[in-house]
Amino acid sequence: MKNTIQTIIQSVIPNECVFDAHTIINYLIQNHNNIYLSSNKNNWTTEFYHSEISKTIATFEDSILKRLGESWSININKQFSQNKCRIKL
């Protein structure tokens, strides 16, 4: 999963663009659904699993990303929620 997330950040998201975890999660579901499904461990809830994905994204801060603050965006349940906002360096 970590390698796939890194590839998405480096290859899909344009430089200097702001995004949040919902962007990565939606891209995973649409374009890498086998990795997305197989990486969910121990019957995690969707909320917990997406939190784990967000933590994985955070591991790239200060190398290929910078955290900017918070965003308010729509999640896969079509609900708005607060999320960490990042910019690709």
Side-chain angles (χ1 to χ4, degrees), residues 39-53:
S39 296
N40 186 337
K41 308 288 186 206
N42 303 318
N43 295 319
W44 287 342
T45 65
T46 302
E47 183 177 358
F48 184 83
Y49 182 37
H50 289 180
S51 173
E52 292 299 304
I53 291 172

Side-chain angles (χ1 to χ4, degrees), residues 1-18:
M1 172 69 83
K2 186 171 181 172
N3 290 336
T4 302
I5 289 172
Q6 182 177 9
T7 298
I8 293 168
I9 293 167
Q10 291 178 316
S11 302
V12 176
I13 297 175
N15 290 339
E16 300 183 14
C17 279
V18 177

